[in-house]
C-alpha cells in the first residue's frame, strides 16, 4: 500500500510503474470517480516513454499509444454494455500481446482478465485531506522513494 498526498505523487507512482512494466503486463485499475485513475495512467504512460497526451478513452473503450518503449493499450470499460463488446474490439490481442494494458473500471469485465493480472485500487480518505490517496497494488512491486 502506498499513500500519496497530491496528484504529482500519484503521477510519480504511475510513472515508476510504467518504468518497471514488462511486455504482457495487464493492470486492472479500480476506484471511484475522481480518485485519480487518469492521473495514475498518465504517469504510467510517461514511464513507458509516451510523450503524447493521455486521456481516458471513455467513449472509444480503448486508446492505443505506440510511441514508447512498449505499446500501451489504455482501456476504459465504464460504458461497456456487454463483454461481447470487448471481443468486437479485439481485446485478446492487447491482453495477450507484447504491450502493457491498463484497464480502468476493470471489475466490470473481471471474467475476461488474465489470471496474472496486476491490480491497483485507488481510494480517497477525506479525513486525511482532499488530495490524499491510498493506493493498493497487487502483483506489482513498486517502491516509492
Amino acid at each position: 500500500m502506498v499513500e500519496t498526498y497530491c496528484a504529482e505523487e500519484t503521477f510519480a507512482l504511475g510513472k515508476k510503474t510504467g518504468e518497471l512494466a514488462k511486455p504482457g503486463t495487464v493492470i486492472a485499475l479500480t476506484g471511484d470517480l475522481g480518485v485519480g485513475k487518469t492521473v495514475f495512467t498518465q504517469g504510467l504512460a510517461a514511464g513507458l516513454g509516451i510523450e503524447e497526451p493521455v486521456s481516458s478513452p471513455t467513449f472509444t473503450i480503448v486508446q492505443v499509444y505506440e510511441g514508447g518503449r512498449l505499446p500501451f493499450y489504455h482501456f476504459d470499460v465504464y460504458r461497456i454494455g456487454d463483454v461481447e463488446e470487448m471481443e468486437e474490439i479485439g481485446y485478446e490481442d492487447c491482453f495477450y500481446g507484447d504491450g502493457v494494458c491498463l484497464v480502468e473500471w476493470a471489475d466490470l469485465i473481471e471474467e475476461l482478465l488474465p489470471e496474472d493480472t496486476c491490480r491497483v485500487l485507488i481510494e480517497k480518505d477525506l479525513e486525511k485531506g482532499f488530495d490524499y490517496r491510498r493506493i493498493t497494488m497487487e502483483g506489482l512491486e513498486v517502491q516509492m522513494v
Side-chain angles (χ1 to χ4, degrees):
M1 194 259 303
V2 176
E3 296 177 307
T4 64
Y5 294 89
C6 62
E8 293 79 12
E9 289 179 358
T10 300
F11 181 94
L13 180 63
K15 184 174 182 184
K16 189 77 165 172
T17 303
E19 290 168 351
L20 297 171
K22 295 175 176 48
T25 299
V26 177
I27 299 170
L29 180 58
T30 54
D32 292 336
L33 282 169
V35 296
K37 292 185 299 293
T38 300
V39 170
F40 179 88
T41 302
Q42 290 167 337
L44 186 127
L48 288 169
I50 293 163
E51 296 178 5
E52 65 185 286
V54 173
S55 60
S56 225
T58 303
F59 295 99
T60 57
I61 301 177
V62 65
Q63 181 69 44
V64 179
Y65 301 92
E66 294 183 340
R69 66 178 180 85
L70 295 169
F72 176 46
Y73 306 100
H74 179 197
F75 289 83
D76 182 332
V77 299
Y78 183 75
R79 297 196 181 283
I80 209 99
D82 190 314
V83 292
E84 287 178 11
E85 289 179 56
M86 291 294 290
E87 292 171 11
E88 291 170 16
I89 61 171
Y91 81 93
E92 289 176 320
D93 293 339
C94 301
F95 282 16
Y96 299 100
D98 292 329
V100 174
C101 293
L102 182 138
V103 184
E104 293 189 46
W105 303 100
D107 49 322
L108 298 175
I109 60 158
E110 187 70 40
E111 63 271 29
L112 299 180
L113 297 172
E115 196 172 304
D116 60 349
T117 295
C118 304
R119 298 181 184 280
V120 176
L121 170 63
I122 304 177
E123 300 171 290
K124 287 183 181 182
D125 184 344
L126 294 177
E127 289 182 13
K128 294 190 176 191
F130 181 76
D131 293 323
Y132 171 85
R133 301 294 185 266
R134 179 177 41 252
I135 304 173
T136 307
M137 305 174 90
E138 296 176 14
L140 292 166
E141 299 299 322
V142 180
Q143 300 295 320
M144 293 307 292
V145 185

